[in-house]
Amino acid sequence: MTPQGTSLIGQQAVTGGQAVIRAIDPSTGEALAPDYPGLDHNAVVQACELAETAFASYRESSLEDRATFLETVASEIEALGDALVERAMAETGLPQARIQGERGRTCGQLRLFASVVRAGEWLDVRHDPALPEREPMPRVDLRQRHVPLGPVAVFGASNFPLAFSVAGGDTASALAAGCPVIVKAHSAHPGTSELVGRAVQSAVAKCHLPEGVFSLLFGSGREIGQALVADPRIQAVGFTGSRGGGTALMKTAQSRPQPIPVYAEMSSINPVFLLPEALKARADQIAEGFVGSLTMGAGQFCTNPGLVIGVKGPELDAFAEAAGKAVTGSAAQTMLTPGIHAAYADAVGALAAHAKVREVARGQAGEGPHQCQAALFAASAGDFLADAALHAEAFGAASLIVECDDLAQMRSVAEALEGQLTATLQMDDGDTPTAKSLLPILERKAGRILANGWPTGVEVCHAMVHGGPYPATSDSRTTSVGSAAIHRFLRPVCYQALPAGLLPEALQDGNPLGVSRLVDGKREI
Ligand code: NAP
């Protein structure tokens, strides 16, 4: 299959008439065919109408039908074969192994959600049977289940062209919840988006689902993206990208006559705390692991370790020297888009020019266009605490070492941080009391706390939290990775004293779906 340059509205391929989106191969700077003419507001309305119509039946599709659909999407993506891998490589500059790994993760994620749908735990069935004899007041029969919110708008991310894009985590979790999805494609990888979109479209047809379960729109975020979020039929939004983009969509969602939730994953600098005993024992080893995580994928991960915090002294100096050497030897890598490269160059330039910041090392300069040259800087904790500009994300392989006078100042730095996706402790046994004193602070700041690992690499599983307080995300109560992501697109409904004939299958006596239930406060199954 080759990309055709069309949007997908239900089962139709639609060519827009607005400004053209054109993929750029970031390794050469050359445009890639075909052109993607952007859609207009009418196309958004059409996709939303179809999604609304589809919702009426898709929301009540059986657990088995919905799970089979998700598995079919995965199989259809795999059936795209090398064409998908080659297109994604050309549009992103990412190496083959990374794209192949990401395809595996994307399909694994869809299959994980299929198993979650079948298990039915997400329905969260509760039943408090009637107590007609209760004194002084009898209790009526009360039952609860979760239902899907309605059509969901998904904004694909630039940095994961498969796993956080058209059929990525947001789409998989919304479809699993029973919500139709309309994707606003990321303009950086339109061909990849169309190929994956056609795979989802084909799965919709093969599973005999209503066509409006899935649409894929190309066009400007400020125009069709905004129109999509403002459309009254859209009931929730999934987004991964910049703080500016996510915040703009939050504002639109909140100013609708009916405000809706926006699950935006935006910016995080992922602090790493180097605790004294660990630093004393293995500064070189920690430095090696740190630079590996920092430079992986040209640092274009939301979990990239952009901040390292330690107590001043020979051990921190040894760490900085070893990390600096590794950064100096690191090869330049092509960044995802000219825009991301320009933003990275600006951020590194601002740090280099900052009067209170010292440059520790720069990586190798690349030869082609849009090359990420890794950068490591250092500043005192006092200066870091005094200047909010030093807390900003530099998206790419750049990091800042913050030198504290003592452990009390390290805790002050932790307290001063904005919300984060992750916080990491490099620690040995002797550091346990220090780690214990940091933990309550880090729990308030981050969605995931790690010991002796590196934040890059996010396992797709049941216990994962890829979330955190603003600006890491717009809603710290949820995760965008892992099976718990389904809860973003559900809400509870209580059925009070409904006759048996009106109860949904999940709530009927005899538990015909065989799902776990909380009956009179006790877990069954
Ligand atoms: P972006 O500029 O926020 O774009 C993401 C998506 O949102 C695109 O589809 C874009 O549409 C749309 N959009 C942007 N601003 C909008 C607005 N005001 N209203 C409606 N839609 C809007 O992010 P990006 O292009 O992926 O990367 C730029 C920067 O985002 C990076 O340099 C980095 O700082 C950050 N980023 C963070 C993460 C993370 O995981 N935390 C991941 C990727 C990027 P268009 O197609 O029209 O641009």
Side-chain angles (χ1 to χ4, degrees):
M1 191 189 288
T2 52
Q4 305 293 310
T6 60
S7 291
L8 307 173
I9 300 185
Q11 289 296 310
Q12 305 300 312
V14 176
T15 305
Q18 303 299 305
V20 162
I21 288 156
R22 198 170 284 137
I24 305 278
D25 179 340
S27 66
T28 61
E30 281 167 19
L32 296 164
D35 285 349
Y36 284 80
L39 294 172
D40 60 17
H41 190 253
N42 291 335
V44 173
V45 170
Q46 199 190 336
C48 291
E49 278 171 357
L50 275 184
E52 176 80 346
T53 305
F55 182 52
S57 58
Y58 185 61
R59 67 188 292 277
E60 289 295 7
S61 53
S62 73
L63 301 187
E64 184 54 36
D65 285 354
R66 214 182 291 169
T68 302
F69 170 50
L70 292 167
E71 289 164 346
T72 309
V73 173
S75 304
E76 293 291 309
I77 291 172
E78 285 163 351
L80 292 168
D82 291 344
L84 177 65
V85 175
E86 283 158 17
R87 182 73 193 195
M89 287 168 63
E91 288 185 332
T92 62
L94 292 171
Q96 187 183 43
R98 157 71 196 273
I99 296 291
Q100 284 170 335
E102 206 181 310
R103 178 177 58 184
R105 173 179 165 165
T106 306
C107 295
Q109 189 161 253
L110 286 157
R111 293 188 171 108
L112 173 76
F113 277 108
S115 71
V116 166
V117 169
R118 279 199 185 92
E121 295 266 349
W122 58 274
L123 287 160
D124 194 10
V125 172
R126 291 156 188 248
H127 182 196
D128 294 320
L131 299 172
E133 311 302 330
R134 193 179 69 173
E135 293 290 348
M137 292 273 288
R139 181 173 81 185
V140 293
D141 184 271
L142 294 151
R143 303 177 193 224
Q144 187 198 105
R145 71 162 175 165
H146 276 66
V147 299
L149 293 181
V152 170
V154 169
F155 288 73
S158 56
N159 59 339
F160 280 87
L162 299 174
F164 275 94
S165 194
V166 175
D170 285 339
T171 297
S173 51
L175 291 174
C179 300
V181 168
I182 302 176
V183 177
K184 159 34 192 122
H186 198 289
S187 307
H189 53 265
T192 308
S193 297
E194 187 197 336
L195 291 175
V196 174
R198 285 183 182 272
V200 184
Q201 193 188 44
S202 162
V204 169
K206 281 192 175 166
C207 294
H208 309 292
L209 293 172
E211 61 171 330
V213 162
F214 175 80
S215 290
L216 171 67
L217 314 180
F218 289 99
S220 151
R222 283 173 183 74
E223 288 162 28
I224 64 155
Q226 288 287 347
L228 188 58
V229 174
D231 189 285
R233 285 153 291 214
I234 295 296
Q235 293 300 305
V237 180
F239 170 93
T240 304
S242 66
R243 193 191 297 207
T247 307
L249 294 175
M250 284 164 68
K251 280 193 185 134
T252 303
Q254 283 307 305
S255 53
R256 292 166 36 130
Q258 178 219 6
I260 53 169
V262 173
Y263 301 109
E265 195 222 300
M266 297 170 287
S267 95
S268 181
I269 53 174
N270 305 296
V272 177
F273 294 86
L274 306 178
L275 302 194
E277 295 298 319
L279 208 48
K280 210 182 288 169
R282 50 194 171 88
D284 284 4
Q285 192 193 332
I286 294 172
E288 191 187 328
F290 161 65
V291 176
S293 179
L294 175 70
T295 55
M296 187 190 293
Q300 300 165 114
F301 292 111
C302 39
T303 50
N304 188 57
L307 198 68
V308 187
I309 303 133
V311 175
K312 284 197 268 227
E315 288 87 9
L316 188 59
D317 292 344
F319 166 82
E321 195 186 329
K325 257 191 208 146
V327 165
T328 305
S330 68
Q333 297 172 69
T334 307
M335 297 196 87
L336 289 160
T337 68
I340 286 177
H341 177 256
Y344 176 71
D346 284 352
V348 168
L351 282 168
H354 196 292
K356 305 287 185 184
V357 172
R358 200 171 75 247
E359 185 173 304
V360 175
R362 285 284 179 109
Q364 302 289 305
E367 291 200 343
H370 314 126
Q371 296 291 298
C372 175
Q373 184 183 12
L376 185 59
F377 298 96
S380 77
D383 290 331
F384 178 79
L385 289 167
D387 187 352
L390 297 181
H391 300 220
E393 180 184 38
F395 192 69
S399 192
L400 178 69
I401 301 173
V402 175
E403 300 160 337
C404 304
D405 293 336
D406 50 28
L407 290 172
Q409 196 176 38
M410 183 183 268
R411 281 187 287 275
S412 301
V413 168
E415 290 277 11
L417 293 172
E418 293 186 298
Q420 304 291 334
L421 292 170
T422 71
T424 301
L425 298 165
Q426 292 296 334
M427 58 175 289
D428 280 0
D429 286 349
D431 292 311
T432 302
T434 309
K436 267 194 180 153
S437 72
L438 279 168
L439 203 52
I441 307 172
L442 301 184
E443 282 170 349
R444 284 188 279 119
K445 298 287 176 182
R448 179 162 59 108
I449 301 166
L450 303 81
N452 297 328
W454 297 101
T456 41
V458 183
E459 184 74 23
V460 182
C461 60
H462 302 288
M464 177 50 66
V465 174
H466 192 62
Y470 185 88
T473 76
S474 54
D475 189 337
S476 63
R477 295 165 297 176
T478 63
T479 175
S480 60
V481 176
S483 61
I486 192 173
H487 295 293
R488 298 175 299 167
F489 304 115
L490 295 166
R491 67 181 178 84
V493 176
C494 176
Y495 302 76
Q496 182 168 332
L498 258 66
L502 276 186
L503 285 172
E505 213 182 357
L507 299 182
Q508 287 169 7
D509 288 344
N511 192 9
L513 294 184
V515 296
S516 168
R517 305 188 304 175
L518 194 67
V519 179
D520 217 2
K522 293 187 192 69
R523 178 67 51 198
E524 285 186 357
I525 304 186

